[in-house]
Amino acid sequence: MPTTPIARALESTRRSFRDRWHDFGRPPRLMGVDVARGLAIFGMIGAHTGIVWMVAGPDGPDLAAIVQGRSSILFAVVAGISVALATGRGQRPRGEALRSARLRMAGRALVVLALGLALEMLGSGIAVILPIYGILFLILIPFLGLRRRTLALTAAAIAVAGPTVVALLRAVTLSGTGIPQGIGGTAVDFLLSGSYPLTVWLPLVLAGMALGRLRLDRPRTAAVLLGSGVGLAAFGYGLGDAFNGTVRGWLTGSGSVSSSSALSSSGVSSLLPGSSSSMRPDARSYLEQLSEVDLGAALSQAWGVTPHSGGTWEIIGSGGFAFAVVGACLLAARPFRALLVPLAAVGSMPLTAYTAHVVSFAVLISPLALAPGLASWDGDPAASGWFWIGCVAALLAACTTWALSRGRGPLESLVAGAAHRVDRPADSGAR
């Protein structure tokens, strides 16, 4: 029986779809990195929706505690790996390649920053991570030509010393106590003591860049990364709990309070908008105010282990956790390639997936609140869980369809186009 043109077209489409599914994520692309990035995105969505389904019994940790803080840190490490892969993989760029990489990084940074600011203007209540990434990409420009060892040592130095130095500066300058010369201000809060301080994210991204210079396509490298990540997480979390006198504080604690909150009890009212103390400096002398600073509490926060504390132990422990996840994803991508295609598709277009989530959150939850009951923080715990599952399912379906039919995500194409335009004069001159 002869086939019709429509039947032949449908069969060709099915065959093409199977071929694209079979070929998706193959070298030179590292599918395991995309899978890890996809997991980070879904973890951040879980933190935003407030998932509270128990996964270890009534006395154990809940899923929200597992994804809190660690998802964004995983995202930062994978971002550093992506930067390394885009700027030479195992070979650090030099000469004209380095100049081109720096120009393209600047183009990407400006677009990501603009996109992040636009998402913040939606008023969703989500601590949008993209603005700090725009700033980070600009800061990374001088680091693009460094050796792997230099990147690793710089990351370690910032992770160990950064939080303590910032805590000391905020203490001795009486930041948050209404003193005009204090370093506490809008820019400082955004870069050093907000939800995503540079002292946390810069070392993580630099560490990711160092990892990206390795041969991540080799199973042995992935296995070493998995083992070392587990060891680093145990070291950071274990010593962090011992240092802070907590039990599983890295999992169940709350570290969202900035270290500046421990500086002075008298400085609390000065932080309130419209308060009289915010309009004029404290009449007491500097030494009088300095005597009220709880330096021990500030330093304790700098060595915190709880999620979003910004402390050194959190950086070490959660950074090791991220290394282990990346290593596990690289190993799993080989035997389970066909099953992981949808998750890798989400990870291949992180800007698009993250932006879609923030926009949907603004429409459904806040501020438009078309379905505010979907994200339940203090009501039925199943509501937020089902909402998270719905978000995950929608992104898996949409991103897989787009990736297999169109390739690169729409916002990723926008960023790549901006990077190319910034570097176009060099391309034109080379011809």
Side-chain angles (χ1 to χ4, degrees):
M1 181 177 179
T3 59
T4 65
I6 295 179
R8 287 196 298 270
L10 290 175
E11 178 61 25
S12 176
T13 301
R14 285 194 294 267
R15 186 182 302 112
S16 178
F17 187 85
R18 289 196 300 267
D19 291 342
R20 287 194 293 266
W21 187 292
H22 180 267
D23 295 335
F24 184 82
R26 291 192 177 276
R29 194 170 188 93
L30 290 174
M31 187 179 186
V33 175
D34 287 332
V35 171
R37 195 185 293 110
L39 290 175
I41 292 172
F42 289 151
M44 287 191 290
I45 293 175
H48 297 159
T49 57
I51 51 174
V52 292
W53 281 1
M54 306 302 293
V55 296
D59 299 323
D62 58 47
L63 192 54
I66 294 175
V67 302
Q68 187 71 24
R70 275 164 284 274
S71 299
S72 52
I73 283 179
L74 173 59
F75 196 75
V77 171
V78 177
I81 294 175
S82 300
V83 169
L85 295 178
T87 56
R89 288 182 175 259
Q91 299 295 325
R92 59 191 180 99
R94 299 181 182 181
E96 181 63 23
L98 178 59
R99 190 197 67 83
S100 177
R102 286 172 171 168
L103 285 174
R104 291 174 182 259
M105 182 62 68
R108 292 188 182 95
L110 295 177
V111 175
V112 170
L113 177 59
L115 179 60
L117 295 177
L119 292 179
E120 284 194 338
M121 292 176 66
L122 295 178
S124 64
I126 291 175
V128 179
I129 201 172
L130 295 185
I132 199 66
Y133 271 99
I135 301 298
L136 268 174
F137 288 158
L138 290 175
I139 295 175
L140 288 179
I141 290 176
F143 293 91
L144 294 179
L146 296 183
R147 294 182 175 88
R148 182 174 63 242
R149 179 179 298 179
T150 306
L151 290 171
L153 291 176
T154 304
I158 298 175
V160 172
T164 299
V165 170
V166 171
L168 289 175
L169 285 175
R170 293 179 66 85
V172 300
T173 58
L174 305 177
S175 177
T177 61
I179 301 297
Q181 66 267 26
I183 68 169
T186 302
V188 171
D189 288 339
F190 172 67
L191 295 175
L192 297 179
S193 60
S195 299
Y196 307 111
L198 282 179
T199 50
V200 175
W201 307 108
L202 182 57
L204 291 168
V205 174
L206 290 176
M209 289 177 61
L211 294 181
R213 300 290 186 211
L214 299 173
R215 289 295 304 273
L216 295 179
D217 56 331
R218 294 178 176 175
R220 180 178 179 180
T221 302
V224 170
L225 183 57
L226 172 60
S228 60
V230 170
L232 197 59
F235 173 78
Y237 289 146
L239 289 186
D241 271 344
F243 181 88
N244 291 279
T246 57
V247 178
R248 291 193 311 183
W250 51 274
L251 187 60
T252 59
S254 176
S256 60
V257 180
S258 170
S259 59
S260 62
S261 63
L263 297 183
S264 172
S265 60
S266 64
V268 175
S269 62
S270 67
L271 298 177
L272 299 177
S275 65
S276 59
S277 59
S278 65
M279 302 300 293
R280 61 178 182 270
D282 198 310
R284 295 172 301 164
S285 69
Y286 170 78
L287 292 179
E288 288 177 322
Q289 296 175 77
L290 186 62
S291 65
E292 296 184 2
V293 172
D294 190 344
L295 186 59
L299 291 178
S300 177
Q301 185 76 18
W303 287 84
V305 70
T306 56
H308 285 300
S309 66
T312 293
W313 295 123
E314 184 202 6
I315 299 173
I316 296 174
S318 294
F321 174 84
F323 292 177
V325 171
V326 172
C329 290
L330 289 169
L331 291 174
R334 289 176 176 269
F336 303 110
R337 171 178 298 278
L339 295 177
L340 293 174
V341 166
L343 183 56
V346 175
S348 70
M349 51 185 77
L351 276 179
T352 300
Y354 184 85
T355 299
H357 162 63
V358 175
V359 172
S360 67
F361 203 90
V363 172
L364 296 174
I365 310 302
S366 175
L368 293 183
L370 297 184
L374 291 177
S376 176
W377 289 83
D378 53 4
D380 181 8
S384 56
W386 283 116
F387 180 43
W388 176 65
I389 290 175
C391 293
V392 169
L395 284 178
L396 286 172
C399 292
T400 302
T401 301
W402 185 283
L404 296 184
S405 61
R406 304 292 296 273
R408 178 181 285 168
L411 291 181
E412 285 70 23
S413 296
L414 176 65
V415 172
H420 179 73
R421 289 186 182 91
V422 170
D423 193 31
R424 182 172 293 175
D427 294 340
S428 301
R431 289 192 295 267

